[in-house]
Amino acid sequence: MAMTKRLTIPRPDDWHLHLRDGAMMEGVLPWSARHFARAIVMPNLVPPVVTADQAAAYRDRILAALPEGVVFEPLMTLYLTETTDPEDVSAAHTSGLVKSVKLYPAGATTNSASGVANFDTVRPILERMAEIGLPLCVHGEVTRTEIDIFDREAVFIDEVLDPIRRATPGLRVVMEHITTAEAAAYASNGGDDLGATITVQHLMLDRNDMLVGGIRPHYYCLPILKRKSHREALVRAATSGDQRFFLGTDSAPHATDTKENACGCAGCFTAPVALSCLAEVFEGADALDRLAAFTSVNGPKFYGLPVNQDTITLEKGAAISRPAEIETGAGPVTVFDPGRPLYWRVTA
Ligand code: NCD
Ligand code: ZN
């Protein structure tokens, strides 16, 4: 007899999410709010969210765009620039408005032109953040042209991340969207002050999925998909139950025509199917009992926030139907498709 498999877990949070602004934000927000209680909202708008005032205004726009009756808490992040004011950052933390500061190396990814070029310039802010316990979320890739795109994360750890952490004791750091065995190993050797998020696509796909038999622009994201052995290391980390690893979908919507393009944008829009995908990955690793740690427990613990009181239920059945695209006022956005059927659905 076929047994229905059912799993109830505390409602998940997304510790790395791009919501954009305006019509795009209005279109994608309901898809995250359906399943996730809270999200660390990335500040890489144009222009970026740099000051506390800008973060407060962005937060208000997100809350105003929520459908009637839907509860969702945006956790705001400031975009670190070389001219960021430590007093403004500190006040934004004290008031509870801001939960992290985001470090983009200048030019590393979508909308990162105002990021940091000289890491010594931001040392005073990092020291203040260590004092007040405000986490630094790091896009961990070097941007020097001579470094191969597949090596940029591993080089960043040695050249930038480790020196910053040594120079700034007590600084709480999230290694965001890790994609390599090197990053997973570095994170698991860290103390309680280190966390690492992992995306859905990096747990499901490797670079062959993106490049063999035709180029698949909807799998192009940054940091770029790596070889299979790295994906396997990430699955081991995510399913280990180790409290340092938690979910950051990095769901990053771009209008379909800007992805299917001679110079396509980086980012996968995974929010609608993230939990169906993750249940699949954890089941495949025989670790469904650790899904909650990854999606719902380890993240709040790192950020010093309570685990959500309410729950969601996932059920395994016939292959789910999912939209190929969602419509937004800023054009259609293609929904992440891992190239295989998904059997887990969120039922409640
Ligand atoms: C993100 C985006 O589109 O804003 N893209 C991506 O490929 N992940 C930026 C980022 O997180 O690097
Ligand atoms: Zn991102």
Short mmCIF file of all heavy atoms in Angstrom, two decimals, residues 50-51 78 80-91 125 128:
data_model
loop_
_atom_site.label_atom_id
_atom_site.label_comp_id
_atom_site.label_asym_id
_atom_site.label_seq_id
_atom_site.Cartn_x
_atom_site.Cartn_y
_atom_site.Cartn_z
N VAL A 50 21.32 51.95 1.68
CA VAL A 50 22.56 52.20 2.41
C VAL A 50 22.30 52.72 3.82
O VAL A 50 22.98 52.34 4.77
CB VAL A 50 23.44 53.21 1.62
CG1 VAL A 50 24.67 53.60 2.43
CG2 VAL A 50 23.85 52.60 0.28
N THR A 51 21.31 53.58 3.96
CA THR A 51 21.08 54.23 5.26
C THR A 51 19.87 53.63 5.97
O THR A 51 19.01 52.99 5.35
CB THR A 51 20.82 55.74 5.08
OG1 THR A 51 19.57 55.90 4.37
CG2 THR A 51 21.94 56.41 4.31
N LEU A 78 21.48 46.53 5.59
CA LEU A 78 22.09 47.72 4.98
C LEU A 78 23.22 47.30 4.06
O LEU A 78 24.01 46.41 4.38
CB LEU A 78 22.66 48.65 6.07
CG LEU A 78 21.65 49.29 7.02
CD1 LEU A 78 22.38 50.16 8.04
CD2 LEU A 78 20.60 50.10 6.26
N LEU A 80 26.67 47.80 2.63
CA LEU A 80 27.90 48.44 3.12
C LEU A 80 28.66 49.11 1.98
O LEU A 80 28.97 48.46 0.97
CB LEU A 80 28.78 47.39 3.80
CG LEU A 80 30.08 47.88 4.44
CD1 LEU A 80 29.82 48.90 5.54
CD2 LEU A 80 30.85 46.68 5.01
N THR A 81 28.93 50.40 2.14
CA THR A 81 29.76 51.12 1.17
C THR A 81 30.98 51.68 1.92
O THR A 81 31.02 51.67 3.15
CB THR A 81 29.01 52.31 0.53
OG1 THR A 81 28.85 53.34 1.52
CG2 THR A 81 27.66 51.91 -0.01
N GLU A 82 31.91 52.20 1.17
CA GLU A 82 33.11 52.74 1.81
C GLU A 82 32.82 54.05 2.53
O GLU A 82 33.65 54.53 3.29
CB GLU A 82 34.23 52.91 0.76
CG GLU A 82 34.70 51.54 0.27
CD GLU A 82 35.88 51.60 -0.68
OE1 GLU A 82 36.43 52.70 -0.92
OE2 GLU A 82 36.27 50.53 -1.19
N THR A 83 31.64 54.61 2.33
CA THR A 83 31.30 55.85 3.04
C THR A 83 30.17 55.66 4.05
O THR A 83 29.60 56.62 4.56
CB THR A 83 30.90 56.96 2.04
OG1 THR A 83 29.84 56.46 1.22
CG2 THR A 83 32.07 57.36 1.16
N THR A 84 29.83 54.40 4.34
CA THR A 84 28.78 54.14 5.34
C THR A 84 29.18 54.74 6.69
O THR A 84 30.34 54.66 7.11
CB THR A 84 28.58 52.61 5.47
OG1 THR A 84 28.00 52.12 4.27
CG2 THR A 84 27.66 52.28 6.64
N ASP A 85 28.19 55.31 7.38
CA ASP A 85 28.42 55.98 8.66
C ASP A 85 28.18 54.98 9.82
O ASP A 85 27.05 54.50 9.99
CB ASP A 85 27.44 57.16 8.76
CG ASP A 85 27.44 57.83 10.12
OD1 ASP A 85 28.32 57.51 10.95
OD2 ASP A 85 26.54 58.67 10.35
N PRO A 86 29.21 54.67 10.61
CA PRO A 86 29.04 53.71 11.70
C PRO A 86 27.93 54.09 12.68
O PRO A 86 27.25 53.23 13.23
CB PRO A 86 30.40 53.72 12.41
CG PRO A 86 31.37 54.32 11.46
CD PRO A 86 30.60 55.19 10.52
N GLU A 87 27.74 55.40 12.89
CA GLU A 87 26.69 55.84 13.84
C GLU A 87 25.30 55.48 13.31
O GLU A 87 24.43 55.06 14.06
CB GLU A 87 26.77 57.36 14.07
CG GLU A 87 28.06 57.85 14.70
CD GLU A 87 28.39 57.11 16.00
OE1 GLU A 87 27.45 56.78 16.76
OE2 GLU A 87 29.59 56.85 16.23
N ASP A 88 25.11 55.65 12.02
CA ASP A 88 23.82 55.34 11.40
C ASP A 88 23.55 53.83 11.50
O ASP A 88 22.45 53.40 11.85
CB ASP A 88 23.85 55.79 9.92
CG ASP A 88 22.49 55.62 9.24
OD1 ASP A 88 21.51 56.22 9.73
OD2 ASP A 88 22.42 54.89 8.23
N VAL A 89 24.59 53.04 11.24
CA VAL A 89 24.45 51.57 11.32
C VAL A 89 24.10 51.16 12.75
O VAL A 89 23.19 50.37 12.98
CB VAL A 89 25.78 50.90 10.89
CG1 VAL A 89 25.75 49.40 11.19
CG2 VAL A 89 26.04 51.14 9.41
N SER A 90 24.81 51.75 13.70
CA SER A 90 24.61 51.40 15.10
C SER A 90 23.20 51.76 15.56
O SER A 90 22.52 50.97 16.23
CB SER A 90 25.68 52.14 15.91
OG SER A 90 25.54 51.87 17.24
N ALA A 91 22.72 52.93 15.17
CA ALA A 91 21.36 53.36 15.56
C ALA A 91 20.32 52.45 14.91
O ALA A 91 19.31 52.10 15.54
CB ALA A 91 21.14 54.82 15.15
N ILE A 125 33.76 50.22 10.80
CA ILE A 125 32.37 49.76 10.88
C ILE A 125 32.32 48.31 11.34
O ILE A 125 31.50 47.94 12.18
CB ILE A 125 31.67 49.90 9.51
CG1 ILE A 125 31.63 51.37 9.13
CG2 ILE A 125 30.27 49.32 9.55
CD1 ILE A 125 31.25 51.59 7.71
N ARG A 128 32.80 48.20 15.01
CA ARG A 128 31.58 48.60 15.72
C ARG A 128 30.55 47.47 15.69
O ARG A 128 29.89 47.17 16.68
CB ARG A 128 31.01 49.87 15.09
CG ARG A 128 29.67 50.32 15.67
CD ARG A 128 29.82 50.80 17.11
NE ARG A 128 30.48 52.10 17.13
CZ ARG A 128 29.84 53.27 17.05
NH1 ARG A 128 28.54 53.30 17.02
NH2 ARG A 128 30.51 54.39 17.04
#
